Amino acid sequence: MGELDFFFFFISEVLRCAEILTAAGEAVAVNVEGPFTILGLLLDPVQLYKGIYLEPEHLKVALTVIEDNLVRYMEALVDKGVKVISYADPTGARELLGGALFREWSGKSSYRILKRIEPVLKGTLLHICGVTSLSLEEEGFCKAQAVKIEQVRTY
């Protein structure tokens, strides 16, 4: 239900460019926005937030469709040789929704996506936005672990 056509316009161009750049030896990074940010681009954010309370069943269906397609898209990026996928969902941030709504909706959605893509990364680095990762940690979806680095590294 509701599968995106990866051969249509923008998505196909991103995948084609990733493949071309990877073949040329470039390290490709692609930004992927999460479900609430996508919904926030399609709907007035006020309507989105109202919909959480007024139409929760519709929101569940929409999130399922978006999650499935985001996972398919990230899998396609990995298959095209993308080295870094940067994931963020700023419209679903804990600071905007509050802890309870984040835990119930946005956090769960992002968590499902991240857990589904984890086994197929094949060496692709998954960067999670600082706000998103901190929100996930603060609401109990994950736990951060400090990593000691032997020597100083700069960007």
Side-chain angles (χ1 to χ4, degrees):
M1 172 212 282
E3 275 194 4
L4 285 177
D5 180 358
F6 286 174
F7 297 103
F8 180 75
F9 195 55
F10 178 74
I11 294 172
S12 67
E13 290 302 307
V14 171
L15 294 171
R16 188 173 70 84
C17 289
E19 187 173 38
I20 290 167
L21 290 168
T22 298
E26 297 293 332
V28 179
V30 176
N31 187 38
V32 174
E33 298 296 335
F36 270 72
T37 300
I38 291 170
L39 285 171
L41 294 170
L42 298 172
L43 304 167
D44 179 309
V46 172
Q47 295 302 328
L48 171 59
Y49 298 130
K50 281 170 108 176
I52 292 172
Y53 295 105
L54 301 176
E55 301 286 344
E57 291 306 313
H58 288 147
L59 182 58
K60 284 181 186 176
V61 171
L63 288 175
T64 298
V65 170
I66 294 170
E67 288 170 21
D68 289 348
N69 282 293
L70 284 174
V71 170
R72 285 181 55 241
Y73 179 51
M74 289 191 279
E75 288 173 341
L77 291 170
V78 170
D79 290 342
K80 297 297 181 186
V82 168
K83 295 292 182 203
V84 179
I85 296 173
S86 181
Y87 178 86
D89 197 7
T91 304
R94 180 178 180 264
E95 290 77 12
L96 290 176
L97 295 177
L101 289 178
F102 179 84
R103 275 189 308 278
E104 184 60 30
W105 293 100
S106 178
K108 279 186 180 177
S109 183
S110 285
Y111 183 79
R112 286 189 297 264
I113 291 166
L114 297 172
K115 289 307 283 183
R116 285 175 62 190
I117 195 62
E118 184 179 20
V120 297
L121 287 173
K122 301 177 193 168
T124 297
L125 176 68
L126 180 63
H127 167 266
I128 304 171
C129 155
V131 171
T132 300
S133 63
L134 186 59
S135 295
L136 288 167
E137 182 180 13
E138 287 177 346
E139 293 303 329
F141 288 97
C142 63
K143 184 171 170 60
Q145 290 182 319
V147 176
K148 184 174 170 88
I149 299 173
E150 293 299 321
Q151 48 186 304
V152 175
R153 296 185 187 224
T154 65
Y155 291 101

